[in-house]
Amino acid sequence: MGLGNAYLTIGKNKAAIICLKEALELDPSLAVAHNNLALAYYYNGEYALAIQHSNQASKLGYAISPKLQELLKPYRK
């Protein structure tokens, strides 16, 4: 997860997605990994997946940032 977060920070979204997905395979309850995967998918233009992981992070008790919620708002059905 740490490597995925580092990739996300420097804008390497595809690499971040790979690492964060691997972290979630090991522990699907990592709410912060779902949140950060949502960000990576958003920045990669994969809005449906971003919404899916944002929702999952929220279900796991993670406080989604208002900024991310606002970014995803136009893509929610």
Side-chain angles (χ1 to χ4, degrees), residues 6-53:
Y7 281 133
L8 182 61
T9 300
I10 61 172
K12 294 192 175 206
N13 300 314
K14 289 182 182 182
I17 289 167
I18 291 167
C19 292
L20 291 166
K21 284 173 64 176
E22 288 179 7
L24 288 170
E25 285 177 16
L26 295 172
D27 186 354
S29 70
L30 290 171
V32 69
H34 282 287
N35 179 76
N36 293 349
L37 188 53
L39 281 169
Y41 277 131
Y42 174 82
Y43 292 131
N44 209 40
E46 298 178 72
Y47 306 117
L49 288 169
I51 290 167
Q52 176 185 334
H53 285 280

Side-chain angles (χ1 to χ4, degrees), residues 34 38 47-59 72 76:
H34 282 287
Y47 306 117
L49 288 169
I51 290 167
Q52 176 185 334
H53 285 280
S54 173
N55 290 345
Q56 186 61 31
S58 183
K59 286 178 189 173
L72 292 175
R76 292 188 184 273

